[in-house]
């Protein structure tokens, strides 16, 4: 994997951190995004001490700001001449209604819109890199999701669990529609289910729920296995537009296969991100 570049959103903890470390061990040059300089520097320190001579960089980006996403994409393009693997990993799960800096419901803004914009801004660089891959971290909870094109901002009847599920459904619809658009290139696009992982995603939940969840949680290292597989495996490269669980293609909800809905979501996302 020498000289291959992988960009991961959110790698200062959890699945992203475990994924980044494993890819560094595989010889990738890893670039990751972070919101905190202190956490980013601490993560860099840890990586360089556990994986000697690794190549790793970071950029400070708040994915809740589309302006910052645009600025980061421009910096990335100015810095690197290739992008072999893009892993859209970062995510939030908010129990109460909160808005992004652009006024969008926060789970949808970070989990879908930010990655939709970032992927499209970097797409020329990705498709000109031989055998490149785009990987979207979704969730099994997408089965509880619905997409209401007229209420994507979820200002009506907000429910945090539902909003998260909707954003994870959006990840899969985005994956399938982008894979269709790129079918004449050698870039693959796949989504995945990492499992119920012990990360900071549940920090906003009541303490009793956090304690209960720990019974079922798997380690970030186990949760990262499918992301690493999709990023590195020659066998995985033959798939595109699929959803993976435990390194194998898996079934998804009926609505996640609705390509007309995927098109509508794509068009709405273009408008919301003001992307030409």
């Amino acid at each position: 994997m020498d000289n291959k570049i992988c960009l991961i959103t959110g790698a200062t903890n959890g699945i992203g951190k475990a994924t980044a470390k494993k890819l560094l061990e595989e010889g990738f040059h890893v670039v990751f995004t972070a919101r905190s300089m202190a956490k980013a520097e601490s993560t860099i320190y840890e990586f360089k001490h556990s994986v000697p001579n690794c190549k790793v960089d970071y950029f400070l980006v708040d994915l809740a700001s589309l302006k910052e996403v645009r600025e980061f994409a421009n910096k990335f393009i100015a810095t690197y001449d290739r992008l072999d693997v893009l892993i859209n990993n970062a995510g939030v799960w908010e129990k109460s209604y909160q808005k992004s800096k652009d006024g969008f419901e926060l789970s949808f803004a970070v989990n879908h819109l930010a990655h939709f914009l970032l992927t499209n801004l970097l797409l020329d660089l990705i498709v000109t890199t031989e055998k490149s891959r785009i990987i979207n971290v979704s969730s099994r909870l997408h089965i509880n999701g619905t997409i209401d094109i007229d209420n994507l901002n979820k200002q009506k009847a907000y429910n945090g669990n539902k909003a998260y599920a909707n954003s994870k459904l959006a990840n899969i619809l985005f994956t399938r529609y982008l894979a269709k658009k790129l079918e004449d290139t050698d870039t693959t696009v796949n989504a995945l289910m990492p499992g119920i992982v012990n990360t900071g995603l549940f920090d906003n939940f009541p303490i009793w729920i956090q304690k209960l969840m720990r019974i079922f949680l798997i380690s970030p290292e186990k949760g990262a296995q499918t992301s690493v597989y999709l990023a590195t495996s020659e066998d995985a490269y033959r798939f595109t537009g699929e959803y993976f669980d435990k390194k194998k293609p898996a079934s998804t909800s009926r609505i996640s296969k609705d390509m007309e809905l995927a098109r509508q979501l794509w068009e709405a996302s273009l408008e919301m991100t003001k992307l030409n």
Side-chain angles (χ1 to χ4, degrees), residues 21-213:
K21 183 179 179 182
K22 183 61 178 177
L23 293 178
L24 288 169
E25 293 171 352
E26 294 285 340
F28 272 88
H29 178 175
V30 172
V31 183
F32 66 90
T33 68
R35 286 185 297 170
S36 161
M37 180 177 291
K39 283 188 176 182
E41 291 289 350
S42 174
T43 301
I44 288 277
Y45 179 86
E46 182 178 334
F47 286 158
K48 289 187 174 180
H49 279 73
S50 60
V51 189
N53 302 315
C54 68
K55 295 180 179 179
V56 58
D57 301 307
Y58 75 86
F59 289 82
L60 292 178
V61 188
D62 183 354
L63 295 176
S65 166
L66 296 179
K67 179 177 181 288
E68 289 196 28
V69 172
R70 288 181 180 276
E71 291 172 348
F72 163 60
N74 289 334
K75 291 176 183 176
F76 190 94
I77 293 168
T79 306
Y80 305 100
D81 62 0
R82 63 184 297 123
L83 180 51
D84 298 88
V85 180
L86 169 61
I87 304 179
N88 291 316
N89 165 84
V92 298
W93 188 340
E94 298 294 341
K95 300 302 294 177
S96 60
Y97 185 84
Q98 296 189 45
K99 290 183 179 182
S100 71
K101 292 182 179 180
D102 303 281
F104 301 120
E105 188 277 314
L106 194 60
S107 293
F108 185 77
V110 172
N111 300 354
H112 170 65
L113 285 180
H115 291 124
F116 174 88
L117 178 60
L118 179 63
T119 302
N120 276 286
L121 292 175
L122 297 177
L123 204 52
D124 285 346
L125 186 61
I126 295 170
V127 298
T128 55
T129 303
E130 183 182 3
K131 299 183 74 172
S132 54
R133 311 178 190 205
I134 299 169
I135 300 163
N136 297 317
V137 178
S138 182
S139 168
R140 184 177 291 120
L141 291 177
H142 80 273
I143 64 175
N144 298 325
T146 55
I147 297 294
D148 181 356
I149 295 296
D150 297 322
N151 187 31
L152 290 175
N153 211 22
K154 288 288 166 266
Q155 292 178 314
K156 296 179 286 186
Y158 180 80
N159 177 285
N161 296 340
K162 183 69 170 175
Y164 180 80
N166 294 348
S167 72
K168 295 292 103 178
L169 172 60
N171 293 157
I172 299 177
L173 290 168
F174 170 50
T175 295
R176 292 208 159 115
Y177 198 76
L178 182 58
K180 183 69 174 176
K181 291 177 73 72
L182 298 180
E183 62 184 0
D184 292 330
T185 73
D186 65 353
T187 299
T188 62
V189 192
N190 290 293
L192 69 103
M193 157 64 179
I196 306 175
V197 182
N198 187 10
T199 70
L201 194 63
F202 305 104
D203 289 351
N204 292 330
F205 282 62
I207 296 298
W208 70 269
I209 293 182
Q210 294 184 43
K211 290 181 178 180
L212 179 63
M213 290 297 296

Side-chain angles (χ1 to χ4, degrees), residues 215-254:
I215 300 173
F216 306 99
L217 297 177
I218 63 175
S219 70
E221 288 71 26
K222 286 187 177 180
Q225 288 179 353
T226 302
S227 294
V228 173
Y229 168 76
L230 289 173
T232 62
S233 168
E234 284 299 320
D235 181 61
Y237 179 72
R238 64 193 177 94
F239 295 96
T240 192
E242 294 290 342
Y243 168 86
F244 280 75
D245 184 5
K246 297 177 181 177
K247 300 191 283 190
K248 294 181 180 179
S251 61
T252 59
S253 66
R254 177 188 56 80

